[in-house]
Amino acid sequence: MKILSCVFIFIATLSTCLSTSNARLVLKFGDNVEDYIMFSPDMEQFTEQFSICSWVRKVRPAGNYLYWFHYATESSVSEIRMTDHGHSKMFNGPSLNKVDQLAITPCPWFHYCMSWSASSASADVYFNGTKVGSITTPPGRELATGGSLVLGQRQSEAGDIYTVNGGRPFGGELYKLNIFSKKLTAGEVSEMHRAGISSDVERKQGQYRQLKWENIIQQPRNGNVQLVNTDFAEDDRACAVKASLAFVEKQLANARQELNMMNAGKLLDQTQSELREAKIELEATRADLGQRLSQAQSELELTRIELEETELELEACFEEKSWSPWDILNHQCFFNSVLSEEKIASLNKVWERLESFKGVTVTKDLIAFLKDDDTGKDLCEV
């Protein structure tokens, strides 16, 4: 009997240790598109009602719509989906967006539940044990089966990971994710949160806890998804330090941004000052050029007037001067040369040639013709 009692004690102790060990195992997701868990659970027991509850830790400080739960079917890509910042959706219908209200920050664990039934045609969403809203579903609509469940990523369609712009990787941590085949009451959800992250209060649901955490962590993991044993107290302290560092980094980033803005402001002031100086110089140059142009126009006008006066004087000069046939003796062939019999004979020959054109109008063409004639060509050579 003593040996049998010891065996029972050993089995109970081992069971307790295994339970405690499983209770500490946390799924830690990487932040790349290939870091996720995908499997196809039997959803038949959840077609008319279900409750999805889990402890969730947001780790990535930036980015919204980071999916920790996404169940999709061929007919409904958004049959159920939930993000780490307070956004939920069901049956491809309207979503519940509590991003601004919840203001979820990285590091702390929060308890999340979605509780739905076809008879109520609504899904109640709970955050840390408190109902924060509901999603109305079509009357008579049941949960579709045969779909694909992905933890830690979004699906573009059932079984295909969304990869556009790096996808929507969760990059956080999950603990004690269970799906119950009933719509939990507000009191039951509140009890789960109050009992704390280290409790086993979920086991009180017994037969309703159909898709269990201890089965989920056995599913194949893709990419950088780790199953780690976590000391929550130590983890919380590390989280607090990490949060402080993140706060300091944010403050430094803000200070750096302000400094850059100040430098940019100084540069802008300097540029504006240089532009003002350049504008003043440009205006002075424009005024100087205008003055020079006005002066040049005045001088040009004076020159034009002088040219007109000179032209008038020349016209008057030509009108006043009387022409004489003897002016031909001013030509270089005769002026300052001896008036020989040969030159006189040449002149007579020219004039005799001109007799034949008596009655013809003297034009440039006639003059050109007479110049081309042999008569008088040698006038300067005699």
Side-chain angles (χ1 to χ4, degrees):
M1 290 294 293
K2 289 184 179 180
I3 295 175
L4 186 60
S5 297
C6 290
V7 170
F8 285 150
I9 293 172
F10 174 76
I11 292 174
T13 304
L14 179 61
S15 176
T16 301
C17 290
L18 290 175
S19 175
T20 303
S21 176
N22 284 338
R24 298 292 184 179
L25 293 177
V26 170
L27 280 174
K28 192 179 185 71
F29 293 82
D31 56 4
N32 292 316
V33 68
E34 68 273 7
D35 303 331
Y36 59 86
I37 293 176
M38 180 189 293
F39 62 107
S40 298
D42 180 9
M43 304 295 279
E44 289 290 343
Q45 62 267 37
F46 308 122
T47 56
E48 295 183 359
Q49 56 181 330
F50 67 77
S51 295
I52 303 171
C53 296
S54 180
W55 288 90
V56 182
R57 169 183 271 180
K58 179 179 178 67
V59 173
R60 297 181 63 187
N64 293 330
Y65 298 98
L66 307 180
Y67 290 76
W68 63 271
F69 189 103
H70 190 177
Y71 176 64
T73 67
E74 290 185 0
S75 60
S76 173
V77 70
S78 296
E79 193 71 357
I80 309 172
R81 67 184 192 185
M82 293 173 278
T83 71
D84 69 350
H85 74 305
H87 186 273
S88 308
K89 192 170 186 176
M90 273 193 69
F91 298 163
N92 278 342
S95 59
L96 179 67
N97 191 342
K98 293 295 179 179
V99 176
D100 295 334
Q101 176 183 338
L102 301 180
I104 299 173
T105 57
C107 210
W109 286 94
F110 65 87
H111 189 257
Y112 190 96
C113 272
M114 176 187 283
S115 184
W116 167 84
S117 70
S119 59
S120 66
S122 70
D124 299 328
V125 177
Y126 296 86
F127 179 81
N128 285 343
T130 301
K131 180 178 175 180
V132 293
S134 298
I135 301 173
T136 301
T137 59
R141 171 71 151 84
E142 294 185 352
L143 181 70
T145 59
S148 172
L149 175 58
V150 171
L151 306 178
Q153 249 292 11
R154 174 184 173 183
Q155 301 180 76
S156 56
E157 57 184 61
D160 287 337
I161 297 299
Y162 181 84
T163 59
V164 177
N165 295 327
R168 294 289 188 271
F170 168 44
E173 300 175 13
L174 295 179
Y175 182 55
K176 290 201 299 184
L177 167 61
N178 295 282
I179 304 182
F180 307 90
S181 58
K182 63 175 287 189
K183 181 173 184 177
L184 295 175
T185 65
E188 290 171 326
V189 174
S190 178
E191 181 185 11
M192 286 184 185
H193 174 253
R194 289 198 315 273
I197 195 170
S198 299
S199 74
D200 288 328
V201 67
E202 295 84 4
R203 297 178 181 272
K204 290 175 60 176
Q205 297 300 325
Q207 61 179 353
Y208 296 112
R209 195 168 69 100
Q210 293 290 329
L211 188 53
K212 303 175 183 179
W213 172 245
E214 50 266 34
N215 295 327
I216 291 175
I217 61 177
Q218 300 302 321
Q219 299 300 321
R221 300 186 292 275
N222 191 75
N224 182 23
V225 181
Q226 303 176 39
L227 190 62
V228 297
N229 201 325
T230 301
D231 182 336
F232 290 108
E234 183 179 344
D235 202 32
D236 286 343
R237 286 192 293 272
C239 184
V241 173
K242 185 176 180 180
S244 298
L245 288 175
F247 176 77
V248 172
E249 288 177 356
K250 185 176 181 181
Q251 293 296 102
L252 287 174
N254 291 338
R256 192 178 296 111
Q257 184 178 5
E258 290 180 3
L259 181 59
N260 290 337
M261 291 178 64
M262 289 175 61
N263 291 336
K266 291 180 180 178
L267 181 61
L268 179 61
D269 291 341
Q270 180 180 352
T271 303
Q272 289 177 340
S273 177
E274 292 175 354
L275 285 175
R276 284 193 295 268
E277 292 177 0
K279 184 178 179 181
I280 293 173
E281 292 179 3
L282 181 61
E283 290 176 350
T285 302
R286 186 185 294 113
D288 182 56
L289 288 175
Q291 185 176 0
R292 291 184 182 182
L293 179 61
S294 178
Q295 183 178 353
Q297 288 175 337
S298 298
E299 292 176 356
L300 182 61
E301 180 65 18
L302 291 174
T303 302
R304 186 185 64 80
I305 293 172
E306 290 176 358
L307 286 174
E308 289 179 352
E309 292 175 351
T310 302
E311 184 179 358
L312 292 173
E313 290 177 359
L314 288 173
E315 290 177 355
C317 180
F318 283 120
E319 288 177 357
E320 293 174 0
K321 183 178 180 180
S322 58
W323 184 84
S324 171
W326 302 110
D327 288 335
I328 194 172
L329 296 178
N330 286 317
H331 193 273
Q332 62 183 359
C333 295
F334 300 100
F335 192 74
N336 284 333
S337 64
V338 177
L339 192 61
S340 64
E341 291 183 3
E342 289 81 3
K343 288 186 180 292
I344 294 173
S346 296
L347 282 174
N348 289 333
K349 187 177 180 181
V350 171
W351 292 117
E352 290 174 359
R353 180 76 178 93
L354 193 60
E355 257 323 301
S356 61
F357 291 95
K358 188 176 181 178
V360 177
T361 302
V362 178
T363 63
K364 290 182 179 181
D365 292 337
L366 178 61
I367 296 172
F369 175 78
L370 293 173
K371 283 184 177 181
D372 291 337
D373 192 12
D374 290 338
T375 305
K377 281 188 176 181
D378 299 330
L379 189 62
C380 289
E381 295 179 3
V382 294

